[in-house]
Amino acid sequence: MIRFWSVESDPAGQGRLAGAKPVAVLDIGSNSVRLVVYERLARALTVLYNEKSSSTLGRGVAASGKLAETSVASALKAIRRFALVCRLTEVGEIYAIATSATREASNGPEFARAVEEIIGVPVRVLSGEEEAHFAAYGIVAGMPDFKGVVGDLGGGSLELAQVEDGEDTGGETHELGVIRLQDDSNMSSSKAVSIIRERLQSSKLLEPGKRKTFGAIGGTWRSLAKLHQARCQYSLHMVQDYAVPAAEIISLCDELVSGNGDKKLVKGIETVSGSRKDLLPFGAAVLAEVLRAGKFEEVVFSALGVREGYLFDILDEGEKAIDPLLQAAEEISLLRSRAPEFSHDLIVASKAFFDLVGVSETQEETRLREAACFMSDIGWRAHPDYRGEQSIQAVAFSDIVGVSHAGRAFLARTLAFRYMGFKQKSPSAKLLDLTGSKLGKRSKLLAAYFRVAYPLAAAMPGIIPRTYFAIDGKTLVLHLPSDLAFLDGDRIRGRHRQLASEAGFKDGTIQID
C-alpha cells in the first residue's frame, strides 16, 4: 500500500511550510524530460523534488520530421514515474509544457496525447515566441533588475528575448539547439560555427553594442558556467547570477569548440557531467557567436528558465512585485528560527541603530540587511563550535534568488561574524571575501549588532523594542528600562563595547532608565 505524505497528514513533519500545496511542471524538452515539484506557487519558489530523463526527443527530428520511437518510449516511461511522484507528493496543480521537438515533429500531437493520458492534464505545446517569453520571465523571476537580452538554449532551438523593466519584447526562435546542431553539422563543432553564424543573421535582437548584458539559460550553458568556475577556482559554486566578462566566456568557448570536448585538450572538462560533455562544444559555439554578434560586455548565467517563468506568469501583479529574496529569507526564518517574530524586532531596531550612527543605506543594502535579520538564527540547532560554518554553507549555497554573489557572501559573512566572533578564521574565507570592502565592513557592523541583540533578548521577541541606543559625545549608550536592569552584565557590556568600536565610537556604556 502506498502512503501519501504531507505536512497535514503527518503533523510531526515540520520541514515544510504548513498549508503549502505543491505545484509541478512537467517540462518536455528536446534533450530531456524533467519534472520539478515546487513546495508551493509563490514569488520565491522552493524545489521539493527534481528529476530528469535524458530522452533526446529532438534527435533526428530535423532530418526525419518525426520523434524517434526509442526516444518516445524512453520519455513516456519517465513520465509514468513522474505521474507517481505527483501523486505521492500530493501535487495540487500540474503544468505540462512541451517545446521544439514536440512542436516540430509530425507525430508530436500523438505523443502529446499519450503524455496527457499518463499525467492527466493537457500538454501545452509552446510556440517559439512563447518559449522566449517564458524564458525571459524566468530571468526576471530570479533577477528582478535584469536588463539586457536573454537566451535559452535547448536541444532543438535557441530562444532570444529582450528584457527591460521586468517585461520582455521581441521574442525570437532560431534552429540552433545543441542536438539539432550535432545532427546538422555531422557532430563537428567547427562546422557548427558556420551554421550558427548563418542562422543568427536573421536576429533583430543582436544589434552590435546596443545592450551590455546577455542572460544565459539552459542546462548546457549551466555546465559551461560550472566549468568556468572550476577552471578559475571560483569560491562560490553557484550558477545562479554568476556574472562573467564576455571576453572570458568567448575565450573558453573557442577552446571548447577547437577541442570538440576532448578530455585531453580542454582543461577541467572532467568536471562536466557525462550527459552534457558531448553537447558542450556545440553550446559553447552558440554562446560565443551570440556574444560576438551582439558585442555584449557581460554574461550572467541563470538557473531559472522556462519552467519558473511559466509559473511567474501565473502570479497576479501583486505577487510578482514581491521581493523574492525577502520572501525566501522569511520562509527560512519560519522553518529554522527559534522565534521567527524576533527577526521583525531586529529589522526595525537595526534600521534605527544604523540611522543613529549615520550609516545610510541604498535600497539594495536595506534588503540585504533585512534578509540577514530573517536568517540570523538559522544555526541554533547545530553544535556551538560549528554553527558559524554550517550557517555560511546554508546561506551561500541555498536556492534563494534575487541576490548577487556579493549579496550571498554578505549574508554568509554576517552570520559568520554573528556566530564565530570577529577573530574567526573560516575555511570559507575566499567565499566571504566576495562581499567586497564596503559590504564587508557593513556585514561586520550588522553582526556586531546581532551579537548584542541575541543575548540581550535570548532570541525572543518583545525585549529589543524596550531598549534603545543614544550617543553621548564619543560614547555609544545602550539604554535599558529599570525592570530589565539585571541584563547589564559582563557579556552584554563586552559585546556593546565591541559594537561601539565597530560603529566608530571610543567607548560604549549601558544606562538604566
Side-chain angles (χ1 to χ4, degrees):
M1 177 180 177
I2 296 175
R3 179 172 179 268
F4 295 99
W5 189 93
S6 70
V7 172
E8 284 72 26
S9 60
D10 183 5
Q14 296 298 309
R16 287 160 57 183
L17 295 172
K21 194 65 176 176
V23 297
V25 177
L26 173 62
D27 184 357
I28 305 168
S30 300
N31 184 43
S32 62
V33 177
R34 184 185 294 269
L35 175 77
V36 183
V37 180
Y38 301 92
E39 186 176 26
R40 62 173 181 149
L41 179 61
R43 180 63 183 84
L45 296 168
T46 300
V47 174
L48 186 61
Y49 187 84
N50 186 344
E51 183 179 341
K52 78 168 183 176
S53 171
S54 299
S55 302
T56 60
L57 284 169
R59 179 71 69 197
V61 170
S64 69
K66 297 182 65 176
L67 302 172
E69 290 184 8
T70 54
S71 296
V72 168
S74 174
L76 293 178
K77 181 178 179 180
I79 291 168
R80 289 188 182 93
R81 166 169 167 71
F82 295 165
L84 173 62
V85 169
C86 289
R87 294 196 300 273
L88 291 172
T89 53
E90 297 188 339
V91 168
E93 293 286 344
I94 303 173
Y95 301 96
I97 56 177
T99 55
S100 62
T102 306
R103 178 173 69 238
E104 296 171 9
S106 60
N107 58 342
E110 178 185 349
F111 169 67
R113 287 192 293 272
V115 173
E116 290 171 352
E117 289 181 7
I118 296 170
I119 204 70
V121 298
V123 174
R124 180 172 174 179
V125 181
L126 303 180
S127 68
E129 290 72 19
E130 287 175 323
E131 273 195 77
H133 169 69
F134 293 127
Y137 263 10
I139 281 273
V140 172
M143 306 176 208
D145 297 327
F146 179 88
K147 181 179 180 181
V149 173
V150 175
D152 182 10
L153 182 67
S157 61
L158 167 71
E159 276 66 47
L160 298 173
Q162 178 182 341
V163 173
E164 191 165 354
D165 297 327
E167 295 296 335
D168 64 296
T169 57
E172 298 178 350
T173 184
H174 302 273
E175 295 179 346
L176 291 173
V178 285
I179 291 178
R180 184 188 293 270
L181 278 173
Q182 284 183 326
D183 292 345
D184 291 352
S185 68
N186 196 26
M187 299 296 289
S188 168
S189 56
S190 57
K191 183 179 178 181
V193 171
S194 298
I195 297 173
I196 295 164
R197 289 174 179 170
E198 179 183 351
R199 294 178 183 176
L200 283 179
Q201 287 179 2
S202 62
S203 175
K204 297 180 180 178
L205 291 176
L206 299 180
E207 298 178 41
K210 187 173 181 180
R211 300 165 190 88
K212 294 182 179 180
T213 305
F214 181 76
I217 300 173
T220 303
W221 283 348
R222 289 196 298 273
S223 294
L224 195 150
K226 292 175 183 177
L227 174 60
H228 184 270
Q229 290 178 338
R231 284 164 60 108
C232 67
Q233 298 182 319
Y234 188 68
S235 56
L236 179 54
H237 298 164
M238 175 69 60
V239 169
Q240 177 63 25
D241 224 318
Y242 182 51
V244 189
E248 286 188 28
I249 293 298
I250 290 173
S251 177
L252 173 58
C253 289
D254 288 346
E255 184 179 342
L256 286 163
V257 171
S258 62
N260 210 34
D262 192 317
K263 188 181 295 185
K264 297 178 181 178
L265 297 178
V266 179
K267 176 186 174 182
I269 193 67
E270 66 277 1
T271 63
V272 178
S273 67
S275 63
R276 293 287 180 187
K277 199 167 292 183
D278 291 339
L279 300 173
L280 196 59
F282 298 89
V286 176
L287 185 53
E289 294 310 313
V290 165
L291 296 178
R292 286 191 175 104
K295 295 189 181 301
F296 294 99
E297 297 178 9
E298 179 186 59
V299 186
V300 59
F301 292 89
S302 173
L304 279 62
V306 170
R307 292 181 297 273
E308 292 77 15
Y310 191 89
L311 295 180
F312 181 82
D313 191 55
I314 295 171
L315 300 175
D316 63 37
E317 293 305 313
E319 291 172 312
K320 288 179 181 177
I322 292 172
D323 188 321
L325 170 62
L326 295 182
Q327 185 179 73
E330 186 168 14
E331 288 181 358
I332 292 171
S333 175
L334 286 170
L335 292 170
R336 301 188 63 173
S337 297
R338 285 170 286 185
E341 189 62 31
F342 182 59
S343 61
H344 293 278
D345 284 359
L346 291 177
I347 288 172
V348 174
S350 62
K351 173 65 165 64
F353 175 74
F354 274 31
D355 288 345
L356 176 70
V357 299
V359 177
S360 60
E361 292 181 309
T362 64
Q363 183 177 354
E364 176 64 13
E365 290 164 348
T366 296
R367 62 195 293 271
L368 287 175
R369 175 179 55 79
E370 292 180 355
C373 290
F374 281 128
M375 294 178 159
S376 58
D377 198 35
I378 64 173
W380 70 274
R381 282 186 179 274
H383 186 282
D385 291 347
Y386 303 102
R387 286 173 184 164
E389 204 59 40
Q390 288 189 17
S391 296
I392 291 171
Q393 301 298 314
V395 170
F397 298 105
S398 70
D399 61 355
I400 57 175
V401 297
V403 61
S404 67
H405 282 205
R408 284 180 184 271
F410 169 84
L411 297 173
R413 188 183 181 94
T414 302
L415 295 197
F417 285 131
R418 175 257 196 270
Y419 282 115
M420 301 162 71
F422 293 164
K423 295 182 180 180
Q424 56 87 12
K425 294 183 179 180
S426 170
S428 304
K430 288 185 178 180
L431 186 159
L432 301 180
D433 286 343
L434 292 175
T435 54
S437 177
K438 183 180 178 182
L439 276 180
K441 292 179 180 178
R442 190 174 293 263
S443 71
K444 199 172 182 181
L445 179 61
L446 183 58
Y449 175 81
F450 288 162
R451 287 174 63 79
V452 172
Y454 269 92
L456 198 64
M460 295 295 128
I463 297 297
I464 295 300
R466 298 186 60 206
T467 69
Y468 67 95
F469 291 91
I471 298 173
D472 183 6
K474 296 182 180 180
T475 300
L476 180 67
V477 182
L478 170 60
H479 289 260
L480 301 177
S482 58
D483 62 319
L484 296 179
F486 54 85
L487 293 178
D488 180 9
D490 291 341
R491 188 185 188 198
I492 296 296
R493 288 177 189 171
R495 291 194 172 187
H496 175 57
R497 284 194 294 270
Q498 189 177 56
L499 173 60
S501 177
E502 289 299 323
F505 295 91
K506 285 192 173 182
D507 195 13
T509 62
I510 296 176
Q511 181 173 317
I512 308 302
D513 294 338

